[in-house]
Amino acid sequence: MKTLDCFQYKYTPEPLLSRLEGVRPAGPGRWMALCPAHDDRNPSLSILLVESRVLLHCFAGCTPDSVLAALPLGLLGSNEKPPDKEGVLHTN
């Protein structure tokens, strides 16, 4: 089971962060949020910005695919493809 995976996003994690609830900073380029893939009461989703990648890790064990699937529509731009089988979202 994968517990850490990533997807790439252009320049900034704000498109992702704006669709999450309970977002709070956890350090430079780091945030914690409520995981949308399960009934989360304490923030268990770690978001880390590393260069042009956003790393997702749910401490409750949700996969990045399930986190992205649970988000409101509109995360991907019109020119972007969904994550590949390894959880990487490739951007133009």
Side-chain angles (χ1 to χ4, degrees):
M1 173 174 63
K2 291 182 183 178
T3 58
L4 178 67
D5 222 327
C6 67
F7 69 93
Q8 294 184 358
Y9 206 86
K10 288 183 180 178
Y11 312 120
T12 175
E14 272 71 24
L16 171 65
L17 296 175
S18 69
R19 288 164 175 78
L20 294 169
E21 295 184 21
V23 177
R24 61 178 173 81
R30 294 177 177 267
W31 298 266
M32 291 296 294
L34 297 174
C35 179
H38 72 275
D39 185 23
D40 205 356
R41 298 182 200 283
N42 290 317
S44 64
L45 182 64
S46 172
I47 304 103
L48 173 63
L49 178 63
V50 178
E51 297 176 6
S52 65
R53 297 182 302 171
V54 177
L55 304 177
L56 300 176
H57 175 77
C58 176
F59 288 97
C62 300
T63 66
D65 286 341
S66 65
V67 172
L68 293 174
L71 290 172
L73 295 177
L75 176 63
L76 300 178
S78 59
N79 295 330
E80 295 172 350
K81 298 176 183 177
D84 64 20
K85 66 181 181 177
E86 295 179 0
V88 177
L89 177 67
H90 299 277
T91 61
N92 297 334

